[in-house]
């Protein structure tokens, strides 16, 4: 008698088949086991394995199935909680992937007090009880007085709104001083900076005419670590850093991981470069193929695993985002890997002039005069206007994997997502062509690498240990 199977997806990875369900449950099968699965003729051992993972329709644990399904999609129907506020487009760096910001033409692009206060009003009038305000630029510290006044104003508003409010600042740290550091720490504002690796890599990618960008970033990272680290109630507020992978970075996977490890940052996010805004225009100089990135990624991940084998937790955060879905069936609140994505429904981005965009990536397209991802402005738009805007609806439809021919039968669909902005910049349409734009090849490639690594039980134990 043939067993009736639950809906499943599959992908062959080397000598095994990765099989998944919509609830995110998965299993690895041999060639022989997969052949039996296709035929519906299961021996006792294989049937037991598949029943445990909810692959047998007649013995489906409906409550457990839908609990896992809902856990992966907790974000559905939740209003945006992340609000990215661009205080200025001005910057004192000339980064190889972001020179459109630093190379002039933005001298007047400072958010005024008036626009900043209207932006804080708009944010606090959104319905989410959880609000994270992320101040960035350009270089956010170039508009320091407005940043301070914005913090004071939104905290005053929150005395009445009583939201779970978090504030962060993204900065290259070149303008940091003791007074600014004290303010950020006293106001419980978290800090994130850019660190692309050791000095030769960081300074190659992030050009600073005022000296060594690396030296200043590391100096202030260490100072914040020291001061915040002394406060026992602030251990979870230690400064963080993000790296961006350029063509120059590809030769140094171990060195980049070692830099983050030596600085005590607790982990690293191995982040590919996106061909958006200025980076798109210089892709032939700094970009690379998905295959090249995946080779770099696997070597760097091997170095991360090596560190962990010495009984020291050190997390690769790109992997951890995916693994939290795969291993724990939980949404890690990473907006890029959602279906639909977090554009407008997970985050909003506010440009220096008060314009509102679906996300920070959507805001970047405006630098070239393209407002396809604009959803409103802080002066004339209500929250309802923004959510019901054509751009917001477009992103929701385009990023729903059920609507993507290349995605709706993919084995990694329960854990994945796509970016309409990335599609638009690489394929001239928010729908994209996932066989062309590079996004799918990189994301699917990382999933495959992780599954290969988990065939070694020692690696699987390390991955589970990241969530302890």
């Amino acid at each position: 008698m043939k067993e009736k199977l639950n809906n499943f997806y599959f992908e062959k990875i080397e000598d095994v088949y990765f099989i998944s369900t919509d609830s995110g449950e998965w299993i690895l099968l041999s060639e022989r086991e997969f052949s039996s699965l296709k035929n519906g003729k299961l021996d006792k051992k294989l049937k037991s394995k598949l029943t445990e993972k909810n692959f047998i329709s007649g013995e489906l644990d409906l409550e457990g199935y839908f609990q896992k399904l809902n856990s992966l999609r907790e974000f559905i129907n939740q209003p945006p909680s992340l609000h990215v506020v661009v205080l200025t487009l001005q910057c004192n760096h000339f980064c190889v992937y972001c020179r459109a910001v630093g190379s002039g033409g933005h001298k007047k692009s400072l958010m005024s007090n008036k626009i900043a206060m209207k932006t804080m009003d708009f944010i606090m009038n959104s319905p989410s009880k959880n609000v994270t305000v992320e101040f960035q630029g350009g270089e956010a510290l170039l508009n320091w007085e407005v940043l301070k006044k914005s913090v004071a104003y939104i905290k005053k508003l929150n005395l009445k709104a009583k939201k779970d409010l978090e504030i962060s600042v993204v900065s290259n740290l070149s303008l940091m001083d003791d007074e600014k550091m004290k303010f950020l720490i006293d106001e419980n504002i978290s800090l994130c900076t850019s660190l692309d690796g050791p000095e030769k890599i960081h300074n190659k990618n992030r050009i600073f005419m005022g000296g060594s960008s690396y030296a200043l970033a590391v100096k202030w990272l260490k100072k914040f670590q020291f001061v915040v680290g002394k406060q026992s109630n602030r251990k979870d507020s230690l400064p963080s850093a993000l790296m961006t992978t350029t063509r120059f970075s590809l030769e140094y996977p171990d060195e980049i991981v070692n830099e983050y490890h030596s600085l005590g940052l607790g982990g690293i996010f191995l982040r590919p470069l996106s061909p958006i805004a200025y980076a798109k225009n210089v892709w032939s100089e700094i970009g690379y193929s998905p295959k090249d990135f995946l080779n770099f990624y696997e070597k760097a991940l091997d170095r991360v695993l090596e560190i962990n084998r010495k009984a020291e937790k050190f997390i690769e955060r790109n992997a951890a985002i995916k693994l939290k879905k795969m291993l724990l069936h939980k949404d890690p609140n990473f907006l890029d890997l959602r279906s639909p994505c977090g554009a407008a429904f997970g985050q909003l981005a506010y440009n220096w002039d008060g314009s509102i965009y679906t996300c920070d990536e959507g805001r970047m397209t405006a630098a070239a005069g393209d407002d396809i991802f604009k959803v409103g402005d802080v002066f004339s738009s209500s929250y309802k206007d923004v959510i019901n805007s054509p751009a917001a609806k477009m992103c929701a439809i385009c990023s729903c994997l059920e609507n993507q021919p290349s995605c709706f039968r993919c084995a990694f669909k329960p854990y994945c997502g796509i970016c309409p902005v990335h599609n638009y910049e690489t394929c001239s349409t928010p729908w994209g062509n996932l066989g062309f734009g590079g996004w799918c090849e990189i994301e699917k490639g990382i999933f495959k690498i992780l599954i290969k690594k988990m065939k070694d039980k020692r690696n699987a134990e390390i991955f589970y240990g990241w969530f302890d």
Side-chain angles (χ1 to χ4, degrees):
M1 176 181 172
K2 270 192 168 186
E3 294 288 351
K4 190 173 181 180
L5 302 175
N6 188 12
N7 182 52
F8 69 89
Y9 315 99
F10 66 90
E11 179 87 18
K12 189 172 185 182
I13 303 172
E14 294 184 336
D15 60 340
V16 297
Y17 284 86
F18 175 81
I19 319 292
S20 66
T21 66
D22 285 311
S23 67
E25 296 197 81
W26 60 274
I27 194 169
L28 295 179
L29 300 180
S30 67
E31 186 84 46
R32 181 192 63 80
E33 290 174 322
F34 182 67
S35 179
S36 298
L37 176 68
K38 286 195 298 180
N39 296 328
K41 296 179 179 179
L42 313 176
D43 59 37
K44 186 175 180 180
K45 182 179 178 181
L46 180 56
K47 181 179 178 180
S48 176
K49 286 169 62 175
L50 293 171
T51 300
E52 183 183 351
K53 294 289 188 177
N54 270 322
F55 282 91
I56 309 296
S57 292
E59 301 186 38
L60 192 65
D61 172 14
L62 280 173
E63 184 177 350
Y65 183 87
F66 284 107
Q67 185 178 31
K68 290 182 172 69
L69 185 68
N70 292 334
S71 182
L72 282 173
R73 291 160 177 79
E74 285 182 331
F75 57 88
I76 297 293
N77 295 326
Q78 290 184 4
S81 58
L82 174 61
H83 300 267
V84 177
V85 181
V86 179
L87 291 172
T88 180
L89 298 182
Q90 294 181 29
C91 188
N92 57 357
H93 276 52
F94 295 81
C95 302
V96 296
Y97 38 71
C98 192
R99 278 183 224 165
V101 172
S103 59
H106 300 301
K107 292 182 178 178
K108 295 181 180 179
S109 68
L110 287 170
M111 181 177 279
S112 67
N113 279 320
K114 180 180 179 182
I115 295 174
M117 300 310 113
K118 289 294 292 184
T119 301
M120 299 304 109
D121 285 333
F122 187 95
I123 291 170
M124 295 305 277
N125 283 327
S126 66
S128 178
K129 290 298 292 181
N130 302 304
V131 171
T132 297
V133 180
E134 179 182 291
F135 293 105
Q136 58 165 284
E139 171 47 46
L141 301 191
L142 283 167
N143 204 359
W144 177 247
E145 291 303 318
V146 170
L147 189 158
K148 287 199 300 181
K149 289 176 182 176
S150 298
V151 169
Y153 184 61
I154 199 166
K155 286 191 171 185
K156 180 180 177 181
L157 293 175
N158 200 38
L159 293 174
K160 181 178 180 180
K162 299 188 184 304
K163 294 179 185 285
D164 183 4
L165 176 64
E166 295 184 10
I167 303 174
S168 65
V169 171
V170 179
S171 169
N172 60 39
L173 300 183
S174 61
L175 298 174
M176 187 60 65
D177 56 37
D178 289 332
E179 180 184 348
K180 293 184 180 73
M181 181 178 75
K182 184 177 186 306
F183 173 84
L184 295 175
I185 294 174
D186 289 349
E187 294 294 331
N188 200 28
I189 298 171
S190 60
L191 178 72
C192 181
T193 192
S194 294
L195 185 67
D196 285 356
E199 188 163 15
K200 65 180 179 181
I201 301 170
H202 183 90
N203 286 346
K204 174 87 171 181
N205 287 344
R206 301 183 59 79
I207 301 165
F208 178 45
M209 300 305 181
S212 169
S213 174
Y214 169 88
L216 287 168
V218 169
K219 169 190 172 182
W220 286 104
L221 264 175
K222 289 181 176 179
K223 288 193 74 168
F224 271 88
Q225 286 175 328
F226 178 74
V227 176
V228 175
K230 290 194 301 181
Q231 303 176 17
S232 59
N233 62 329
R234 294 288 306 278
K235 297 295 185 183
D236 59 345
S237 300
L238 288 168
S240 60
L242 277 176
M243 63 85 64
T244 301
T245 308
T246 66
R247 184 181 299 176
F248 182 65
S249 313
L250 297 178
E251 300 177 40
Y252 306 101
D254 287 2
E255 291 87 343
I256 291 171
V257 171
N258 291 342
E259 180 69 22
Y260 272 70
H261 179 234
S262 67
L263 288 171
L265 289 166
I268 186 170
F269 193 137
L270 296 169
R271 190 171 63 150
L273 177 65
S274 293
I276 294 175
Y278 183 76
K280 174 183 176 181
N281 300 326
V282 293
W283 194 255
S284 61
E285 300 171 29
I286 64 174
Y288 37 79
S289 69
K291 182 179 179 180
D292 287 338
F293 175 78
L294 291 170
N295 286 335
F296 162 83
Y297 179 86
E298 185 163 12
K299 291 175 184 176
L301 181 61
D302 284 338
R303 175 61 188 134
V304 169
L305 290 170
E306 185 181 354
I307 292 170
N308 281 269
R309 289 194 192 100
K310 297 176 181 177
E312 181 179 352
K313 184 189 288 189
F314 185 78
I315 300 171
E316 199 290 289
R317 305 191 193 283
N318 198 335
I321 288 164
K322 297 170 173 63
L323 290 168
K324 189 169 187 177
K325 295 185 176 189
M326 294 178 65
L327 302 181
L328 305 185
H329 297 91
K330 291 183 179 179
D331 172 37
N333 198 31
F334 184 70
L335 305 181
D336 291 357
L337 287 187
R338 285 183 174 180
S339 174
C341 74
F345 298 95
Q347 71 163 297
L348 289 169
Y350 307 81
N351 211 1
W352 66 275
D353 62 357
S355 300
I356 309 174
Y357 293 85
T358 55
C359 54
D360 194 39
E361 290 79 9
R363 187 268 311 173
M364 291 178 188
T365 65
D370 192 338
D371 271 344
I372 185 173
F373 296 102
K374 184 176 178 179
V375 293
D377 67 80
V378 297
F379 290 100
S380 63
S381 303
S382 67
Y383 172 77
K384 185 176 181 180
D385 294 333
V386 163
I387 295 302
N388 286 296
S389 66
K393 293 177 180 178
M394 172 188 70
C395 286
I397 295 170
C398 292
S399 65
C400 180
L401 299 187
E402 296 292 346
N403 297 331
Q404 286 284 349
S406 300
C407 300
F408 84 102
R409 292 295 304 167
C410 178
F412 307 112
K413 185 186 73 170
Y415 327 106
C416 202
I418 57 174
C419 174
V421 181
H422 188 282
N423 288 345
Y424 184 69
E425 292 286 80
T426 56
C427 305
S428 301
T429 167
W431 287 99
N433 178 347
L434 297 187
F436 174 76
W439 177 280
C440 177
E441 190 173 346
I442 286 178
E443 295 302 327
K444 184 180 282 192
I446 294 174
F447 279 116
K448 289 181 177 181
I449 288 170
L450 294 176
I451 291 161
K452 285 192 298 182
K453 300 301 177 189
M454 280 193 284
K455 289 165 67 177
D456 184 332
K457 290 184 179 180
R458 295 175 302 168
N459 293 334
E461 289 174 1
I462 289 169
F463 290 153
Y464 273 108
W466 287 353
F467 305 109
D468 289 342

